Amino acid sequence: MSLRDWYPLALSRDITPGTSAGTRVEGHEFVVWRDAGGAAHIWEDRCPHRGMKMSFGFVRGDHIACLYHGWQYDSEGQCRHIPAHPDLDVPATIRIARFAVLEAGGIIWGCFNEVDGNLPRAPELPAATTPVRSLFIDCPAQRLTALIADIPFEGSAPNVTTRTGRIVGITLGDNVLIAAVQPVSGSESALHLIATGALESQHLKQISTWSEQLRREVEALTSKDNDGEIAA
Amino acid sequence: MSNPVLYNYDLDENCYKVRLLLSCLGIEAETIAVDVFPGNEHLSPAIRAMSPKGSLPVLKQGDLVLHEAEAILAWLARSQKPDKGFLPNDPDTFAHVMMWLAFSARELDVAVRARVTAMMDAPGDIDALRSGAREALRIMEDHMTRQHFDDVEYVAGARATIADIALFPSFALSRDYNIDHDAFPALRRWARAVRRIDGFITMPGIPDYH
């Protein structure tokens, strides 16, 4: 895997302590989970026992358990308990690949390579942000990033102020937003939306409505692109 | 009054809605198992005398015979333990509950069909059904996203209603028809809130976490 960069995976708010969720980057499957102490973890989404997705499982304290046979792994990815063999001293070879994780701007970011000291520079985001929502869209990440500016908000076009890698700065009416774009697969993306400063519920709802329109229009355009390719 | 009688198939999500509400209300029901797959017992004359299409669940209480999960949920919530608030009297909340019950019966029907096509050999275009189901789940996701902006945890307000019970199975069982929960963070939070309702029970396909 050569995904040696920081990829946005979820809003920090949406992975509460003691919960997990599956996600994909360029089609590779990962589990994002947060232990009871509040630390986020990103692992390969696969139990080494029978290949079950760890994201189907559940978190207890600082362990995540596989739903299939209850094998429990500690926060280092090491299997610590096999319910069918409660007295077994679990071999050190039974472990799950872990990846580097950081939280910035209210977003969980992962870097996918073996955990070592050489990580790319962390994404630079303001400290005071309000999470809006994550939105999953059937559109390749690059195309989505290009289309964001085209979907009007209450009659006027959004103003894209910055584009740095996967981070797009947008002014939408009076709101200053940041969209972090996750390349889920070759045909799907996730847009993780945050706002700078504090926003009231009424404004969050307006932004949400805009983002739903964005999803509709972008998917309609992408579907047209694909029909064109088939016709060609 | 004698206990209600539920004609039930354990793998049917509409039957699960009724079992779930009965459990949340703390009501004992007599359960009669109907062998839907592979037995097709729901199409027998005895069931069709109560439910013309042979759809489950069917609930009987004395002379009253009800089919359609939404109607049964409403009747149980109103007649058995109205103080539990699963069908609120306040007109606005009541109307929102009705709106989402209609959504459950109409928009989520594709999700029910996607699951029986994927799992029980029922005829259907699985890709079209799955795509329709995803569209419906997205509408629920957008709704719960708005509720959460106001720190409201349930579909029709701060407390669980039969709308939550009616909508829950299609999301909780979506992996049965190959839609993962990855793309629905607001529904994941809502599903955790549903699991916190007193009396919550699971069905096959909805894991108990222990």
Side-chain angles (χ1 to χ4, degrees):
Chain A
M1 219 179 335
S2 60
L3 303 172
R4 203 185 178 78
D5 195 2
W6 290 107
Y7 289 88
L9 301 177
L11 295 181
S12 297
R13 173 199 69 192
D14 287 339
I15 309 292
T16 50
T19 68
S20 64
T23 191
R24 284 178 295 151
V25 175
E26 304 288 7
H28 299 278
E29 294 175 342
F30 302 100
V31 54
V32 185
W33 65 281
R34 197 185 291 284
D35 62 39
H41 306 273
I42 298 164
W43 294 0
E44 186 182 22
D45 197 7
R46 185 179 178 283
C47 180
H49 178 219
R50 291 286 179 186
M52 181 70 169
K53 282 187 174 191
M54 292 304 294
S55 56
F56 285 21
F58 50 95
V59 180
R60 285 292 176 268
D62 61 353
H63 285 51
I64 185 166
C66 179
L67 187 64
Y68 205 7
H69 298 99
W71 289 27
Q72 285 185 24
Y73 298 85
D74 69 14
S75 54
E76 305 293 306
Q78 172 64 47
C79 185
R80 290 290 175 198
H81 181 62
I82 297 176
H85 302 279
D87 300 327
L88 181 73
D89 192 10
V90 181
T93 48
I94 302 179
R95 54 190 306 129
I96 303 180
R98 300 182 300 142
F99 302 98
V101 56
L102 66 80
E103 298 193 53
I107 294 172
I108 301 179
W109 303 76
C111 176
F112 303 99
N113 212 311
E114 295 309 313
V115 178
D116 61 26
N118 303 315
L119 292 170
R121 246 180 63 190
E124 281 172 32
L125 290 164
T129 60
T130 302
V132 182
R133 67 177 298 188
S134 294
L135 210 73
F136 290 73
I137 305 179
D138 291 344
C139 176
Q142 228 172 351
R143 179 99 167 106
L144 174 62
T145 308
L147 285 172
I148 287 177
D150 293 353
I151 311 306
F153 174 75
E154 296 180 343
S156 39
N159 182 19
V160 169
T161 49
T162 54
R163 276 183 221 269
T164 319
R166 292 178 185 88
I167 303 170
V168 186
I170 311 162
T171 309
L172 203 63
D174 297 333
N175 308 302
V176 180
L177 297 185
I178 293 167
V181 185
Q182 174 185 357
V184 172
S185 72
S187 59
E188 303 153 280
S189 309
L191 203 60
H192 304 286
L193 286 174
I194 57 175
T196 61
L199 281 190
E200 285 174 25
S201 143
Q202 165 203 354
H203 296 114
L204 292 167
K205 288 176 187 170
Q206 285 170 342
I207 297 166
S208 200
T209 302
W210 167 76
S211 72
E212 289 156 27
Q213 188 58 27
L214 172 78
R215 183 178 61 199
R216 272 191 287 273
E217 296 201 16
V218 164
E219 288 189 346
L221 287 169
T222 311
S223 157
K224 240 186 235 168
D225 293 351
N226 295 344
D227 289 350
E229 270 171 37
I230 292 161
Chain B
M1 200 162 53
S2 59
N3 288 337
V5 179
L6 173 66
Y7 292 80
N8 173 63
Y9 179 53
D10 270 347
L11 298 181
D12 181 318
E13 60 192 276
N14 285 310
C15 294
Y16 166 61
K17 293 172 187 175
V18 175
R19 297 197 304 275
L20 176 55
L21 183 65
L22 285 166
S23 176
C24 294
L25 295 175
I27 296 171
E28 296 283 334
E30 183 192 338
T31 301
I32 296 180
V34 180
D35 174 17
V36 170
F37 183 81
N40 272 331
E41 202 191 337
H42 59 302
L43 301 177
S44 67
I47 300 291
R48 295 190 88 150
M50 297 183 287
S51 171
K53 287 195 308 181
S55 69
L56 293 179
V58 171
L59 191 90
K60 260 173 78 170
Q61 168 95 64
D63 292 336
L64 179 73
V65 181
L66 296 172
H67 55 87
E68 303 312 316
E70 290 73 20
I72 296 170
L73 294 178
W75 181 79
L76 285 171
R78 181 56 49 90
S79 68
Q80 303 294 306
K81 298 272 179 78
D83 52 310
K84 292 229 176 192
F86 279 93
L87 183 56
N89 281 320
D90 158 61
D92 294 14
T93 317
F94 179 84
H96 279 114
V97 171
M98 288 300 128
M99 199 171 84
W100 287 106
L101 288 186
F103 182 90
S104 158
R106 189 176 53 205
E107 267 77 10
L108 282 180
D109 184 53
V110 282
V112 174
R113 288 192 288 139
R115 181 167 166 273
V116 293
T117 299
M119 291 188 75
M120 288 178 237
D121 220 17
D125 175 347
I126 185 65
D127 291 334
L129 291 171
R130 188 184 295 124
S131 149
R134 189 182 74 157
E135 204 49 48
L137 292 176
R138 277 179 166 186
I139 291 170
M140 288 163 57
E141 169 75 14
D142 294 344
H143 174 65
M144 286 316 300
T145 298
R146 280 183 181 69
Q147 296 289 81
H148 292 158
F149 288 146
D150 292 328
D151 292 318
V152 171
E153 296 298 328
Y154 293 99
V155 167
R159 293 180 60 180
T161 67
I162 55 174
D164 298 280
I165 306 271
L167 299 181
F168 179 71
S170 284
F171 176 64
L173 295 164
S174 71
R175 287 154 172 167
D176 282 354
Y177 53 91
N178 211 11
I179 293 183
D180 214 328
H181 291 177
D182 299 15
F184 304 100
L187 294 183
R188 294 199 303 265
R189 171 170 160 185
W190 165 69
R192 292 196 294 274
V194 172
R195 283 174 174 273
R196 287 196 299 269
I197 302 171
D198 277 347
F200 176 81
I201 53 167
T202 58
M203 70 168 271
I206 301 177
D208 267 316
Y209 300 132
H210 47 79

